[in-house]
Amino acid sequence: MLHNLMEQNVFLYGMIGAGILGILCIAMVNSFYGRIIRDLHRITEPKGKWTKEFLNEYQMRKTKEQEINNPEVFIRTQMVRGKMLGISLQKWKQGIGYGAFLCFFLMMAAVYGTYRYQETELMRYQYVLVGAGIFALLLLMKQFMGFMSKEDIILDGLMDYMENTSSIARPEAELDAVREQTREELIDRVTEGIRQTASSETKFSHMLTPEEEHIMREVIREYLT
């Protein structure tokens, strides 16, 4: 069986196929990162599907007032859900490793076959050259594409966007809080004034019950609003 596979060059074609698979996966991952990086320069009008979905998810959480305690984890979680051609980004990444591992496995199986069936050294060197070359090519291409640095660029860009949008919304929220506090303080002053008048020896004495005070506060609040 092994000898037949060697005669039909199955191992050789398999290594080439594994290399093509790995290169395809590298291209898909690089394209995914590239689209997001381009969208960072037009973040208000993104063209990439993932960027639009990310911004929609972020805006939805802001609308629901759901606090994002760790923006980096939020971004990475959304990135894992990204897809290219209907396949998740994580599987494309795994495909690079699978391609390299398959190439190495086929190379070792072919080298073993050359020793078992006493094939020529030229054939053995051919398998080693092709297998090791494709294996090294995949690793070098992954390193050359700089996936880690591109992830950092995406994280920095999106975190900067999230911080800026939060800082824009924060002053308005603080202003509303100050207004509410001021209104409550004014209600307390008016209520205290009426309470003091009611407790004095005047015609307003014993005027306020707890229920009446509650109603009065609601009337004042409605008036100030």
Side-chain angles (χ1 to χ4, degrees):
M1 178 66 177
L2 181 62
H3 190 259
N4 291 334
L5 294 176
M6 294 177 62
E7 287 183 342
Q8 297 173 10
N9 290 324
V10 172
F11 291 115
L12 187 62
Y13 295 143
M15 287 187 286
I16 295 174
I20 294 174
L21 171 64
I23 293 173
L24 175 63
C25 292
I26 291 174
M28 290 294 104
V29 174
N30 187 64
S31 177
F32 179 84
Y33 288 149
R35 291 182 182 182
I36 300 176
I37 292 174
R38 287 192 294 271
D39 281 337
L40 292 177
H41 300 290
R42 53 188 181 214
I43 194 65
T44 55
E45 296 180 355
K47 295 183 179 180
K49 181 180 179 181
W50 182 88
T51 311
K52 292 179 181 178
E53 292 177 349
F54 172 83
L55 295 178
N56 289 337
E57 178 69 19
Y58 175 62
Q59 293 298 334
M60 183 183 70
R61 295 203 178 195
K62 283 185 59 180
T63 302
K64 294 181 178 180
E65 297 183 352
Q66 297 178 353
E67 185 176 358
I68 300 176
N69 297 321
N70 195 325
E72 181 176 346
V73 173
F74 173 72
I75 295 171
R76 290 189 182 278
T77 301
Q78 297 300 315
M79 197 176 297
V80 169
R81 300 175 182 174
K83 292 184 177 182
M84 288 289 291
L85 302 179
I87 301 175
S88 67
L89 177 67
Q90 193 65 22
K91 289 185 178 180
W92 284 117
K93 286 184 174 181
Q94 291 174 350
I96 302 173
Y98 291 153
F101 174 79
L102 180 59
C103 182
F104 181 79
F105 175 79
L106 292 174
M107 180 188 70
M108 295 304 297
V111 171
Y112 169 77
T114 59
Y115 280 108
R116 180 174 179 180
Y117 298 108
Q118 299 180 350
E119 299 290 345
T120 62
E121 290 188 359
L122 180 61
M123 179 177 291
R124 186 178 306 135
Y125 292 151
Q126 180 183 17
Y127 285 127
V128 172
L129 181 62
V130 173
I134 293 175
F135 183 82
L137 176 64
L138 293 178
L139 296 182
L140 290 174
M141 283 188 65
K142 183 179 178 181
Q143 187 69 23
F144 178 75
M145 292 297 180
F147 291 158
M148 294 298 295
S149 62
K150 289 181 179 179
E151 282 190 6
D152 291 339
I153 293 173
I154 293 171
L155 284 173
D156 292 341
L158 293 178
M159 287 178 66
D160 180 66
Y161 168 79
M162 294 171 66
E163 290 174 0
N164 287 335
T165 54
S166 297
S167 63
I168 293 174
R170 193 177 299 121
E172 184 63 28
E174 292 178 355
L175 184 59
D176 291 340
V178 171
R179 289 171 181 169
E180 180 65 24
Q181 182 179 0
T182 303
R183 183 165 56 246
E184 290 298 322
E185 290 176 354
L186 183 57
I187 292 173
D188 290 339
R189 291 197 195 100
V190 175
T191 303
E192 182 63 25
I194 295 176
R195 186 186 297 112
Q196 291 176 0
T197 302
S199 62
S200 62
E201 296 299 328
T202 65
K203 63 180 180 179
F204 297 105
S205 181
H206 309 298
M207 170 182 172
L208 292 178
T209 65
E211 292 79 9
E212 291 171 335
E213 181 176 338
H214 175 72
I215 294 174
M216 179 188 64
R217 290 180 65 90
E218 291 301 319
V219 171
I220 296 173
R221 182 178 288 105
E222 184 67 23
Y223 175 77
L224 292 177
T225 304

